[in-house]
Structures are given as structure tokens and as C-alpha cells.
Amino acid sequence: MKYNLCTISFRHELVSFRELLRYAFDTGFNGIELWGVHAKALLRQRGQELGGMLDEMFSYGLDISMLSDYIPLMGNLPMDVLLKEWQDTVQAAKAFHTNKLRIFAGSLSSQSLDEKDWELCTERLKFLCTVAEREGVYTVVETHPGTAADGLDSTLQLLRQTSHPALKLNLDFLHMWESGADPLAAYERLKPWMVNIHLKNVEARQWLEVFSPDNIYSPSGSRRGIVALADGEMDCQAIMKRLILDPTQAPVALEWFGANPFQILKSELGWLKGLESGLKPEKVEVTGT
């Protein structure tokens, strides 16, 4: 399996992109999931300097697996302004040689959307997909609370109602589990669209609010409840067993929002690779669907 480093894990660290590349290579990651904030900061550098960094990345055998950004899908922006913002974001993805551009499906939960809202959401999403597809870029929606893709049924509705071949899915297992869905059952249903996986865990359901954007992006936000993959309430080991037994082209990206990302991510990657090397398909039993 392929494991990628999310640069958002270092959002509050004083570290350069080159340092992250070296760390990813030395630690054993296969690629980089680049946060949009970081991508835009890097693009403000001179082209020659950015080109040198990308050449260095390629020399390590790494790539940018996906650019993770945001777009006001359901906002009040005029369509020409939204189009310009989206075109710029697509070009940013191309500048980093990735064909996957992750966004959220709006900023309202699926239960708050009426029929007209769903129509607006899916028509705009189809429009974005068409624009990005012309540039060879997939539009990737993430399963996330507070969006139209906040559970299994809502995500399936979004994918099917949009019905565009360039629309893909980033399956965040924790957020799917948070919705009350069985993450393994969701995986089976969503596999046809899935091109990326996010893994993180939480000590108990009572601490899930720690991952709300307002808290997690704040340097002074709480980190209570954020734990290693093996130590949380969601059964990451069962998920990994299924992924190992059912090989997928979708890479696993590690999202760590707590302290000490250098040390923790190295440990997390070691745990994942240990599971993979220690499992033999004929001896593994996976329960539940």
C-alpha cells in the first residue's frame, strides 16, 4: 500500500517544504498530500526555486498525491468569480503535477438541505468537475460532517445525483464512523468512486468535536481526544486488514492534528507497515461488512 504525508499536520510548525520532503523520504512515506494553504504559499515563490524543490521531491521518488483545498461551493459568489477561483485552484494542482483536487461539498449538513439546495449543490459540483476535467484533474469530495457528504446515504446521493465521471471521493474513515455508519460497509459501497483515504482516530466519540475546523485550525485549539490510530475508539486495525486484503489503488494519507507530528507520524507509519508486513491473506479473518 502507499502511505502519504499530509502537510496540514505541520500547519503550526516552523518547517520548510524541503525539510518535509526530506522527512517524508527518510521516514518511508510514498508521497505528499499538499494542503492548499501551503500550495499557495509555495506558488508565490519564484518559478525556478519551486521547480528545484519539485525536482528534489521527484529525486526522492515522492510525488504530490493530492492538493487539498476549499471552494465556496454553496456560497454567494457570482458564478464568474467562482469560476476564476476554481480555475486558479485547478492550475495550482497542475503546477504540483497532481490530478486530484480535494474540496468539501459545501458547508451545510445534508439534513439541512432541501431539494433546491441539493440541485444547486450538484449542478455546481458538476460544473466544477467539467472545468477541472478539461485540465486532466479529478474533483475529489471528502466525507466530512457539516457538508453534503456527511454520511453514507448523503454521500451516495451526492455522487449519483452529480453523476460526473471526473467526480471522485476521499473517504475519511473517522468522519464516516462519526456519522454512525459502519466504516467497512461504507468502504464497500463507496469503492467505485474512491481515490484517496484519510486515517486518524479519536479516544472516544465524546471528543469528536476536537476535529471541527474552527478548533483544529486554531493554534490555541484543544487537542483533547486526539490519539494514535491503534489507541482510538474506531477500529483502525480492522479497517487496515480490509484494505490489505482488498488492495486498492487509493493511497492512505495520515492526518495528525495533535502535537509532535514528526515523532507521531513516524510511529504511525511504522505501525501501519508492521500490520501490513505481519498479515498474510490466507491467515487473516475480517468480520463485519
Side-chain angles (χ1 to χ4, degrees):
M1 294 189 65
K2 292 185 177 180
Y3 301 101
N4 292 325
L5 175 76
C6 293
T7 68
I8 195 173
S9 299
F10 300 86
R11 67 205 178 285
H12 302 311
E13 301 289 322
L14 187 61
V15 57
S16 72
F17 185 57
R18 275 198 163 94
E19 288 175 284
L20 286 183
L21 293 178
R22 187 70 208 184
Y23 168 78
F25 173 72
D26 289 342
T27 307
F29 283 97
N30 302 106
I32 304 288
E33 184 178 313
L34 186 61
W35 192 29
V37 174
H38 293 153
K40 290 166 187 173
L42 288 168
L43 286 171
R44 287 194 290 269
Q45 302 187 40
R46 291 176 299 179
Q48 186 175 0
E49 185 176 356
L50 177 59
M53 285 189 287
L54 293 178
D55 287 343
E56 185 175 341
M57 179 183 72
F58 297 141
S59 74
Y60 291 146
L62 302 171
D63 62 5
I64 301 295
S65 63
M66 187 166 75
L67 193 154
S68 291
D69 210 346
Y70 315 92
I71 198 80
L73 184 66
M74 300 288 286
N76 295 320
L77 283 182
M79 283 304 293
D80 59 333
V81 179
L82 178 63
L83 173 60
K84 178 61 168 62
E85 185 171 333
W86 182 240
Q87 288 173 327
D88 290 345
T89 308
V90 170
Q91 291 305 312
K94 292 188 67 179
F96 288 99
H97 303 275
T98 181
N99 67 347
K100 290 183 288 185
L101 177 52
R102 188 229 60 181
I103 61 172
F104 288 165
S107 56
L108 298 173
S109 68
S110 62
Q111 292 183 345
S112 69
L113 303 180
D114 59 23
E115 186 175 341
K116 288 185 178 179
D117 292 328
W118 272 106
E119 183 177 354
L120 176 64
C121 180
T122 54
E123 285 303 313
R124 284 191 173 182
L125 191 53
K126 186 180 296 187
F127 172 73
L128 298 185
C129 287
T130 299
V131 171
E133 185 183 33
R134 295 190 193 117
E135 301 293 335
V137 174
Y138 292 116
T139 302
V140 183
V141 168
E142 179 171 331
T143 55
H144 199 283
T147 73
D150 56 4
L152 177 56
D153 290 341
S154 59
T155 302
L156 285 169
Q157 179 179 349
L158 181 76
L159 293 166
R160 289 169 175 165
Q161 192 169 324
T162 305
S163 185
H164 196 287
L167 178 62
K168 303 298 179 181
L169 185 71
N170 173 42
L171 177 56
D172 187 304
F173 272 105
L174 184 74
H175 291 319
M176 186 56 65
W177 174 81
E178 177 180 358
S179 75
D182 180 333
L184 295 181
Y187 167 72
E188 292 299 330
R189 299 283 300 280
L190 296 170
K191 270 195 301 186
W193 295 274
M194 191 181 67
V195 295
N196 200 72
I197 293 166
H198 275 177
L199 273 188
K200 53 182 176 282
N201 215 338
V202 70
E203 183 180 354
R205 282 188 178 272
Q206 71 185 87
W207 302 114
L208 279 165
E209 278 298 312
V210 73
F211 294 111
S212 65
D214 287 345
N215 177 73
I216 213 65
Y217 298 148
S218 171
S220 59
S222 171
R223 303 297 180 251
R224 180 70 174 90
I226 299 176
V227 294
L229 296 174
D231 299 334
E233 186 174 340
M234 185 178 71
D235 191 349
C236 282
Q237 184 163 326
I239 290 170
M240 285 307 302
K241 285 181 179 180
R242 175 61 60 84
L243 294 178
I244 292 166
L245 282 171
D246 185 21
T248 172
Q249 295 299 312
V252 172
L254 303 188
E255 282 192 309
W256 174 253
F257 290 113
N260 305 315
F262 288 101
Q263 298 93 322
I264 297 297
L265 286 169
K266 182 177 181 180
S267 175
E268 294 283 71
L269 184 60
W271 181 75
L272 290 169
K273 289 190 173 183
L275 278 179
E276 191 171 2
S277 64
L279 287 173
K280 294 184 178 180
E282 66 273 17
K283 293 185 178 180
V284 175
E285 295 181 6
V286 179
T287 59
T289 57

